[in-house]
Amino acid sequence: MIVDADVHAVIPSIETLFPYLTAPWIEYVEQSGFKGPVDTPYPKAPTSARPGSGTSLQHLREQALDPLKVDHAIVNCSYAVESIHNPDTDIALARAVNDWLVAEWLDKEPRLRASIIVPSKQPAAAAREIDRVAADRRFVQLYLPVRSYLPYGKRHFHPIFEAAVRHDLVVGLHFGGAPGNPPTSVGWPSYYLEEYAGMAQAFQSQLQSMVVEGLFDRFPALRVTCVEGGFAWLPPFLWRLDKEWKGLQREVPWTKRLPSEYVREHVRFTIQPADLPPDPARLGRLVEQVGGEEVLLFASDYPHVHDDPPVQLLTPKIMGSNAAAFYGRIG
Amino acid sequence: MTIALPEQASTQPVQTALIDCDIHNSLPSEATLDKYLPERWRQHREAFASRAYHGLYYPLASQHAARTDAWPPSGMIPGSDLGFLREQLLDRWGMQYGVLLPLLSAGKQLNLEWGAAIARAVNEWQLAEWLEPEPRLRASIVVPYEAPDLAVAEIERVAKLPGFVQVELESRTHEPLGRRKYWPMYHAAAERGLPMAMHFGAQGGWPITGVGSPSFYVEYHAGQLTAFQDQVISLVTEGVFEQIPDLKFVLIEGGFGWLPPLMWRLDRAYAKLKAEVPHLRRLPSEYIREHMWFTTQPVEEPHEPRDFQVMLDDLAMDDRIMFSTDYPHWDFDAPDAAIPTSVAPELRRKIMAENARALYRL
């Protein structure tokens, strides 16, 4: 089985969502001239989309699904609904995106699976949205932007994870997000390059929070995929977190095991972009350091442009069986 | 000086010079500063005290984050009693030199002129009460780094004094350190041959992570490493080292295990996005390897011991790693446990003393 754990569907303009919004919301958008959360994490940069792609199912089929003979591909829609501070707009747009994903992508292409978009700043509302759409088993994952205004391990977010576990959904922590606070702990950087390279720190901060808050103790069935965040940073991050935990475990007594053990058991990583060491001979040790090929999931990140992954990462496990084992709704 | 460490504290005999690049000297009390403050600021301290970004509190692992045995018999607070610091650190371990980094809040003051007054007073206190009585010690110039014009004035003033070897920053600033606001400070340091030294800590007004404020001290403590990565990315991407080719940056108490993967992803991101940063002329990793130094504590502990060498090979910065203890803090690394025993003798010599000797011209 071949599973592409990250392909993208792009909403070309907010009007695309009008068929899935009620009349008052259409009026709200038209009167305000609001163009939707366009400050998504992808400027028109060379790391972003191939020209003219991402908005068409036909392109996705021709450029990603067919050439790779993909059995299933998980569609992620990076639409930063959490950037809108009006809570009702946040909810309405998340619903519209999910309904659009069903009608325009899932219903038209049987190979596709999708991630549920949620108003992530509002855990109770997010859980309601998950409950609303999760009966459709083509939704295999919950999309959480890795950038957030509070770390996801905090108790505030429990309703989201309860809902994910209730419906056997993986939580996909995805590159990007627009929560309003700066992307670094030291303020706003000047360049997109910084935000792009610095996204790894957001993944680190989220995993750290999830582990030390005891999220995996509380929800033993919880599974998290780090999507589009790389994985080469994982070994030194876990060395440090394990060391800190040994010194300070008494502060978080509900955690019973080394942080690295929780991560190995509960977390997977997609392989695009990989940010690999320049020396190809180093890759084998890196894969061992992250916990073996079992923790890696193939992803094309279509339509974003990346270097081709090295063949060592195209093993049967990484290409599909890891995902089939990890995603309760795939396989 | 060569020393033999006590048998019982050592897994193997260690014969090497030691230079400790991270020692924290503390004020016995806030009032200690009064002696070094002009009347206007003495009154200010009395009436308003320290006012920094607030509402970001993570109670420490221990009082003053100190080792429980670092409280001097004099009853003074850890790190404030030179006699006891000599006994417990410098003499105990036969240190040849030690570099002081007082963490005394000048940089994080919201009232910038008050920050400058603290910096001046702290530097005068270091000169009079630490450098003059103890020839093994060197000090860092404390500056109000969020007001670079005031910081430049302090660098100009103190660089002429004996014993100051670098300019101190803390890792959590209000803007990423590469931004041009900070450049005058870097010019002033580089012109005087002084490295900039960024130490773990402080508050810049933002949550400790880029995804908001976490709950626990363990996250605060481990999360500082995201600030280190953010700062390295900023310094490189903004072209600081193109602007100021003589600038040296020392990163203290942030580790370095995260650096190889950061260099890999920065180089790759640069290859894709170089059109955005035409002021850069080389790979990010080249700027890092040319301009940056790192200290050891808290030392990286790979799950498999052999990965320590893998990490050093990835880093390819054998001349840039410098031993540090972080005395008197709870996460102190003792000299005989600061790096694994597997590190080859020649490299051990460099890390334990020679890299610092070359950088600080000791």
Side-chain angles (χ1 to χ4, degrees):
Chain A
M1 180 187 288
I2 293 178
V3 178
D4 186 338
D6 184 32
V7 299
H8 286 263
V10 177
I11 295 169
S13 76
I14 198 164
E15 287 78 14
T16 308
L17 297 178
F18 280 4
Y20 311 98
L21 289 168
T22 55
W25 285 113
I26 294 169
E27 190 182 329
Y28 177 92
V29 168
E30 286 178 332
Q31 282 188 352
S32 64
F34 182 57
K35 296 202 170 7
V38 289
D39 52 349
T40 60
Y42 305 104
K44 284 183 184 138
T47 47
S48 299
R50 299 161 223 229
S53 57
T55 55
S56 136
L57 178 58
Q58 191 56 29
H59 281 145
L60 175 65
R61 285 188 183 121
E62 289 169 3
Q63 295 175 4
L65 304 183
D66 297 343
L68 292 165
K69 299 187 170 59
V70 165
D71 294 291
H72 298 299
I74 303 173
V75 178
N76 289 311
C77 179
S78 296
Y79 202 58
V81 292
E82 77 285 354
S83 66
I84 300 162
H85 291 259
N86 178 325
D88 297 318
T89 319
D90 184 15
I91 292 167
L93 285 179
R95 288 175 66 107
V97 172
N98 291 328
D99 291 344
W100 172 78
L101 283 169
V102 170
E104 303 292 331
W105 298 81
L106 297 179
D107 283 352
K108 292 182 176 170
E109 173 50 65
R111 286 171 289 184
L112 293 183
R113 299 293 179 267
S115 300
I116 302 171
I117 302 302
V118 294
S120 54
K121 277 181 174 166
Q122 307 178 72
R128 281 196 298 276
E129 179 61 7
I130 294 165
D131 289 339
R132 185 182 74 90
V133 299
D136 185 339
R137 293 186 62 84
R138 294 171 300 178
F139 283 112
V140 298
Q141 179 165 260
L142 160 66
Y143 182 113
L144 288 181
V146 73
R147 285 187 55 204
S148 61
Y149 80 115
L150 283 175
Y152 290 126
K154 287 184 81 85
R155 293 165 195 172
H156 171 72
F157 291 106
H158 280 175
I160 293 183
F161 298 105
E162 278 162 7
V165 169
R166 183 160 68 238
H167 296 291
D168 197 19
L169 296 162
V170 169
V171 172
L173 271 183
H174 195 284
F175 179 100
N181 48 314
T184 86
S185 55
V186 298
W188 289 92
S190 309
Y191 300 102
Y192 177 64
L193 193 162
E194 297 176 77
E195 203 175 318
Y196 181 83
M199 202 66 72
Q201 287 92 280
F203 283 93
Q204 294 162 22
S205 299
Q206 297 291 12
L207 290 185
Q208 176 174 295
S209 170
M210 290 174 159
V211 168
V212 307
E213 295 265 6
L215 208 57
F216 299 114
D217 301 277
R218 189 180 183 93
F219 303 109
L222 179 62
R223 302 180 307 283
V224 175
T225 300
C226 290
V227 186
E228 211 183 313
F231 58 87
W233 47 264
L234 185 67
F237 163 73
L238 291 177
W239 304 339
R240 173 54 52 106
L241 193 55
D242 281 358
K243 176 170 169 141
E244 298 275 356
W245 183 82
K246 288 176 193 168
L248 297 166
Q249 190 261 346
R250 66 185 189 276
E251 190 192 24
V252 287
W254 44 82
T255 52
K256 303 297 183 200
R257 293 184 290 155
L258 286 169
S260 60
E261 295 177 30
Y262 290 103
V263 172
R264 295 275 150 77
E265 184 175 324
H266 293 273
V267 185
R268 299 293 180 266
F269 301 83
T270 67
I271 62 164
Q272 269 309 13
D275 298 334
L276 299 175
D279 176 6
R282 173 72 171 80
L283 178 58
R285 183 71 198 129
L286 176 63
V287 171
E288 288 167 8
Q289 287 176 324
V290 299
E293 61 170 328
E294 287 74 15
V295 306
L296 301 177
L297 305 177
F298 170 73
S300 66
D301 194 24
Y302 177 86
H304 305 145
V305 181
H306 298 293
D307 305 328
D308 290 334
V311 289
Q312 296 100 302
L313 293 182
L314 303 180
T315 67
K317 282 185 177 174
I318 296 174
M319 290 304 292
S321 54
N322 288 346
F326 195 63
Y327 284 80
R329 294 180 163 205
I330 291 181
Chain B
M1 185 192 299
T2 333
I3 54 109
L5 298 180
E7 286 289 344
Q8 71 275 16
S10 179
T11 49
Q12 67 169 35
V14 179
Q15 294 277 341
T16 182
L18 295 175
I19 297 176
D20 183 349
C21 292
D22 187 20
I23 302 172
H24 300 297
N25 48 335
S26 302
L27 293 168
S29 79
E30 287 261 321
T32 310
L33 278 188
D34 283 355
K35 196 166 142 192
Y36 303 97
L37 285 170
E39 181 56 25
R40 182 256 182 275
W41 291 115
R42 273 200 295 275
Q43 288 176 9
H44 181 89
R45 191 190 71 72
E46 194 67 35
F48 301 101
S50 173
R51 249 188 92 255
Y53 297 103
H54 29 276
L56 296 163
Y57 301 129
Y58 295 90
L60 302 173
S62 60
Q63 280 189 54
H64 305 280
R67 282 166 45 174
T68 49
D69 66 345
W71 288 83
S74 59
M76 295 166 74
I77 68 168
S80 69
D81 180 333
L82 174 58
F84 189 65
L85 184 141
R86 275 191 187 114
E87 180 189 322
Q88 195 172 43
L89 184 71
L90 302 178
D91 297 344
R92 160 77 173 82
W93 294 102
M95 303 255 179
Q96 192 173 20
Y97 294 102
V99 180
L100 299 171
L101 287 130
L103 303 174
L104 295 172
S105 304
K108 69 181 185 190
Q109 293 301 319
L110 292 170
N111 178 332
L112 297 172
E113 292 189 19
W114 168 226
I118 294 177
R120 278 193 300 275
V122 167
N123 291 329
E124 289 301 307
W125 165 74
Q126 295 200 89
L127 182 65
E129 303 194 25
W130 296 86
L131 297 177
E132 287 177 356
E134 178 45 71
R136 285 172 290 186
L137 292 177
R138 296 295 181 272
S140 307
I141 303 176
V142 172
V143 294
Y145 47 77
E146 298 295 356
D149 55 332
L150 301 176
V152 167
E154 186 62 4
I155 293 168
E156 288 172 347
R157 190 183 77 79
V158 180
K160 300 184 190 110
L161 304 173
F164 289 91
V165 294
Q166 63 191 359
V167 178
E168 180 177 336
L169 302 170
E170 290 184 74
S171 54
R172 292 179 61 211
T173 49
H174 189 62
E175 293 183 38
L177 277 171
R179 281 174 67 89
R180 54 178 62 236
K181 157 184 158 178
Y182 299 107
W183 293 2
M185 188 166 60
Y186 303 153
H187 278 291
E191 281 163 16
R192 287 160 186 80
L194 295 167
M196 298 299 304
M198 187 186 88
H199 186 278
F200 174 112
Q203 286 173 6
W206 306 107
I208 180 69
T209 84
V211 303
S213 289
S215 304
F216 302 105
Y217 175 69
V218 62
E219 297 176 87
Y220 161 89
H221 204 254
Q224 294 274 355
L225 297 205
T226 62
F228 276 76
Q229 294 171 79
D230 297 332
Q231 300 289 26
V232 169
I233 290 172
S234 173
L235 287 165
V236 169
T237 308
E238 296 269 1
V240 170
F241 302 116
E242 281 293 335
Q243 287 289 321
I244 314 168
D246 296 331
L247 183 63
K248 297 171 177 174
F249 240 91
V250 189
L251 273 55
I252 300 174
E253 204 181 337
F256 46 79
W258 44 268
L259 190 60
L262 176 61
M263 290 196 278
W264 304 337
R265 68 178 186 270
L266 258 183
D267 282 357
R268 183 185 154 278
Y270 174 68
K272 303 271 184 198
L273 298 168
K274 59 170 69 168
E276 192 191 21
V277 286
H279 49 271
L280 297 187
R281 292 189 300 184
R282 298 158 60 196
L283 286 174
S285 60
E286 294 178 43
Y287 294 111
I288 290 169
R289 289 200 171 98
E290 186 171 317
H291 293 274
M292 292 188 176
W293 278 253
F294 301 86
T295 60
T296 52
Q297 181 279 338
V299 71
E300 306 290 350
E301 294 183 39
H303 295 135
E304 288 196 40
R306 68 171 163 141
D307 280 331
F308 197 86
Q309 187 59 47
V310 172
M311 175 184 66
L312 293 180
D313 293 342
D314 288 340
L315 202 58
M317 295 178 76
D318 281 1
D319 295 334
R320 301 304 179 85
I321 304 169
M322 307 190 295
F323 161 67
S324 62
T325 63
D326 193 30
Y327 181 87
H329 291 161
W330 67 270
D331 45 347
F332 174 89
D333 276 355
D336 61 337
I339 53 174
T341 51
S342 59
V343 172
E346 174 59 20
L347 179 54
R348 171 174 296 273
R349 222 173 50 81
K350 284 183 175 181
I351 292 174
M352 299 310 285
E354 301 315 316
N355 290 341
R357 194 189 311 282
L359 176 66
Y360 297 125
R361 301 193 195 99
L362 298 173

